[in-house]
Amino acid sequence: MKVLKFGGTSVGSAQRMKDVAGLICNGKQNFIVLSAMSGTTNSLVEISDYLYKNNHDGANEAINRLSEKYTGVIQELYNTQEYKNKANELVMSYLNYIRSLVKDLFTLFEERVILAQGELMSTGMMNLYLHETGVNSVILPALDFMRTDKNAEPDLVYIKKKLSDLLKQYSDADLYITQGFICRNAYGEIDNLQRGGSDYTASLVGSAIQAEEIQIWTDIDGMHNNDPRVVENTLPVRHLNFDEAAELAYFGAKILHPTCILPAKIKNIPVRLLNTMQPDAPGTTISNELEKGKIKAVAAKDNITSIKIKSGRMLLATGFLRKVFEIFETYRTPIDMVTTSEVGVSVTIDNAKHLDEIVDNLKKYGTVTIDNDMVIVCVVGDLEWENVGFEAKIVSALKDIPVRMISYGGSNYNVSLLIRGSDKKRALQALSKYLFGLD
């Protein structure tokens, strides 16, 4: 059995839903994971924001706009009045439930409930469309098997057991459909796997059922060797190692959510990135295999803040770095890059929410310098230290661009460079030219 995940743009209109139905109805009993229709989650976030502000009129107007959108899609998607009525009743039941939450007391719990409705609507509509076309599909609700533990991590044992029971119960189904993104927490409350979590759902389901393959269908033909929004003539990378893909996903490649990698890697299940608009394109295959001696791709992560702590007390001292890192831990702020010298340490963060408090505490240990609007450029491939020449080629490509930090050796797959945001475009273009021969 394969797991096929389709993102919001892939089910973003009636025609896209029909296209997806054509792809999944291939005579095989597969497991389908669907996101909410594109734009829906943003609308639900808007509704929640109005309710937090106690603006009930604004919330109702946003719900009405969403209702109009879905009414139009339903009219186009279904052929018979019977199924148009069924779909309208289904969608209205979810929207009316959202309306019931338009009340004075609005908390994080109600927000999570509202955000879950997008996936519930898209899967319900797809299931009805398949039934109209004669397919024996069945919805296996994510809220019945996808659960996180008290640490907000997926409860793998629970997920596997519940999924196994559900699959046995509906063993004669042609297709299984479930919602991405949504889950329950350890207390049974509706929760989610965070935005981008539909990829995570697909990987967790694939791991639980020991799938033959996990397919992530989106609107681009695989992971490209550079950012196509910045660099022209980029090409899809046909094969990546799981560790290479994880680096690219974390450092800016938007096609894949970083958390998707680990469950599939552990179970040695290949992941394929495919394009719903070009279903015959080979896309990108991610597996545990590694192509030796090749640089695969470049990615960039924006909105980075660099923090430099300089102190003579660091010289020959023990415990200095521990004290520095404990400050970041206190404010739950992850660090991306680290470089050190005998009298200083530089780190980067991508979340500046607690920057003022962090800097205030760091000043106890040394002089602190901040650089804002920075970008981490990440070069990924087989970059073991014995592969002579790759590092020099990367640095040579950026010979005309100021580099604030370089991080190499933390993994065998990544060289990271910190540059100014204003130099990002030139840097990515130069790396494409030097590493891949692209102009």
Side-chain angles (χ1 to χ4, degrees), residues 161-309:
K161 173 65 169 60
K162 288 293 183 179
L163 259 182
S164 177
D165 292 343
L166 287 169
L167 289 172
K168 288 176 183 176
Q169 185 178 347
Y170 299 101
S171 59
D172 60 341
D174 296 333
L175 291 171
Y176 302 104
I177 301 173
T178 198
Q179 300 85 19
F181 176 63
I182 66 177
C183 66
R184 291 192 186 275
N185 60 28
Y187 309 99
E189 300 164 336
I190 292 178
D191 209 329
N192 58 67
L193 298 170
Q194 307 303 314
R195 300 195 75 164
S198 290
D199 292 348
Y200 204 7
T201 300
S203 191
L204 290 167
V205 168
S207 174
I209 67 174
Q210 196 59 53
E212 172 190 347
E213 182 178 87
I214 298 167
Q215 297 180 358
I216 307 294
W217 290 82
T218 181
D219 56 356
I220 189 170
D221 54 339
M223 196 174 282
H224 279 226
N225 59 3
N226 210 322
D227 189 340
R229 297 166 299 182
V230 178
V231 178
E232 295 181 357
N233 303 317
T234 63
L235 297 171
V237 181
R238 296 305 176 204
H239 179 265
L240 287 168
N241 176 271
F242 277 118
D243 292 313
E244 293 172 335
E247 297 278 9
L248 288 171
Y250 182 75
F251 283 103
K254 301 297 184 185
I255 187 174
L256 185 68
H257 198 265
T259 52
C260 175
I261 300 296
L262 187 58
K265 177 185 176 182
I266 291 172
K267 291 294 183 70
N268 197 27
I269 301 171
V271 176
R272 292 184 67 201
L273 310 180
L274 298 164
N275 186 355
T276 49
M277 271 62 84
Q278 294 179 275
D280 295 328
T284 299
T285 299
I286 306 170
S287 72
N288 279 315
E289 296 179 8
L290 176 66
E291 290 183 274
K292 291 288 187 180
K294 291 186 70 175
I295 290 180
K296 294 295 187 65
V298 178
K301 191 174 185 181
D302 300 321
N303 302 315
I304 300 297
T305 301
S306 169
I307 306 172
K308 181 179 180 181
I309 309 100

Side-chain angles (χ1 to χ4, degrees), residues 337-339 379 381-392 394-395 405-417:
M337 291 176 65
V338 181
T339 60
V379 181
D382 176 26
L383 294 168
E384 288 194 35
W385 65 277
E386 293 178 341
N387 292 336
V388 178
F390 283 157
E391 304 85 359
I394 293 166
V395 173
M405 291 169 61
I406 299 176
S407 178
Y408 172 58
S411 83
N412 293 328
Y413 310 99
N414 169 26
V415 174
S416 293
L417 307 102

Side-chain angles (χ1 to χ4, degrees), residues 313 327 358-368:
R313 285 185 286 171
I327 293 171
I358 289 170
V359 170
D360 190 52
N361 279 274
L362 288 174
K363 285 179 178 178
K364 299 173 185 176
Y365 304 109
T367 304
V368 180

Side-chain angles (χ1 to χ4, degrees), residues 6-13 17-18 20 24 32-38 40-41 44 69-70 73-74 77-78 87 90-91 94 115-130 139 177-182 198:
F6 294 88
T9 54
S10 296
V11 292
S13 67
M17 284 193 172
K18 292 178 181 179
V20 168
I24 63 181
I32 314 303
V33 177
L34 298 182
S35 298
M37 287 180 61
S38 57
T40 298
T41 301
L44 297 174
K69 172 184 175 179
Y70 274 85
V73 172
I74 288 168
L77 180 59
Y78 302 96
L90 177 86
V91 169
Y94 291 121
L115 294 183
Q117 306 308 304
E119 278 72 16
L120 294 171
M121 287 190 287
S122 65
T123 50
M125 289 170 63
M126 177 61 77
N127 193 48
L128 284 174
Y129 178 73
L130 293 171
I139 291 181
I177 301 173
T178 198
Q179 300 85 19
F181 176 63
I182 66 177
S198 290

Side-chain angles (χ1 to χ4, degrees), residues 3-157:
V3 176
L4 286 70
K5 176 261 176 178
F6 294 88
T9 54
S10 296
V11 292
S13 67
Q15 186 56 52
R16 293 277 176 87
M17 284 193 172
K18 292 178 181 179
D19 294 341
V20 168
L23 290 170
I24 63 181
C25 295
N26 56 12
K28 297 179 181 179
Q29 190 184 49
N30 290 324
F31 205 115
I32 314 303
V33 177
L34 298 182
S35 298
M37 287 180 61
S38 57
T40 298
T41 301
N42 288 337
S43 295
L44 297 174
V45 169
E46 180 188 14
I47 293 165
S48 298
D49 189 45
Y50 279 126
L51 292 177
Y52 272 123
K53 294 178 170 62
N54 207 28
N55 184 347
H56 296 170
D57 290 339
N60 279 314
E61 286 181 19
I63 295 170
N64 290 338
R65 288 195 297 271
L66 199 57
S67 177
E68 290 175 11
K69 172 184 175 179
Y70 274 85
T71 298
V73 172
I74 288 168
Q75 283 299 115
E76 187 180 344
L77 180 59
Y78 302 96
N79 294 316
T80 65
Q81 192 60 46
E82 176 190 1
Y83 275 89
K84 288 178 182 179
N85 291 341
K86 286 183 178 181
N88 274 312
E89 289 175 10
L90 177 86
V91 169
M92 287 305 112
S93 70
Y94 291 121
L95 293 179
N96 287 336
Y97 181 50
I98 295 174
R99 291 184 200 277
S100 75
L101 299 173
V102 178
K103 54 188 181 181
D104 291 335
L105 181 62
F106 189 80
T107 68
L108 181 60
F109 171 77
E110 282 82 15
E111 180 184 15
R112 289 169 176 169
V113 170
I114 285 177
L115 294 183
Q117 306 308 304
E119 278 72 16
L120 294 171
M121 287 190 287
S122 65
T123 50
M125 289 170 63
M126 177 61 77
N127 193 48
L128 284 174
Y129 178 73
L130 293 171
H131 287 179
E132 186 183 42
T133 58
V135 178
N136 179 25
S137 60
V138 62
I139 291 181
L140 303 185
L143 298 179
D144 287 354
F145 67 84
M146 189 62 66
R147 186 176 79 173
T148 55
D149 59 23
K150 291 181 180 180
N151 296 315
E153 295 294 332
D155 189 337
L156 301 180
V157 174

